Amino acid sequence: MSIEKHDAAGYWRANVRIIMICLIIWALCSYGFGILLRPILAGIQVGGSDLGFWFAQQGSIITFIAIIFFYSWRMNKLDEEFGVHEE
């Protein structure tokens, strides 16, 4: 099935909204927690180091992997809503 013209714009808006949300979460976890908020998170210990260091090293990578799975799941739902899913 193909998307009609009026549905194509809605599909693209929804797709861009999902991408923007994912990028904001990733930036918050990697840049925000790992760099900007590191002095605040320095007092919280995780695995022998402070939480800011953990986010800079492992947390941002784990968050990125979780975002990949979330994006895949959400796009499958969006494809079904707009009738462009794979059969």
Side-chain angles (χ1 to χ4, degrees):
M1 289 184 170
S2 64
I3 302 176
E4 297 175 14
K5 281 200 183 270
H6 65 279
D7 288 335
Y11 179 79
W12 184 245
R13 270 193 309 275
N15 186 9
V16 170
R17 185 177 41 234
I18 293 168
I19 290 171
M20 292 305 296
I21 290 168
C22 290
L23 286 175
I24 289 169
I25 291 169
W26 188 41
L28 180 67
C29 288
S30 62
Y31 186 71
F33 293 154
I35 298 172
L36 296 178
L37 299 176
R38 183 159 187 221
I40 296 170
L41 300 174
I44 303 169
Q45 295 293 315
V46 173
S49 65
D50 63 88
L51 187 60
F53 179 78
W54 184 85
F55 265 107
Q57 298 301 312
Q58 284 100 6
S60 61
I61 296 169
I62 292 170
T63 302
F64 182 67
I65 292 170
I67 287 172
I68 291 171
F69 284 106
F70 168 77
Y71 180 76
S72 174
W73 170 77
R74 187 62 186 106
M75 284 307 296
N76 284 335
K77 293 277 191 188
L78 190 66
D79 288 349
E80 288 178 11
E81 288 175 20
F82 283 89
V84 294
H85 61 282
E86 297 177 3
E87 295 182 22

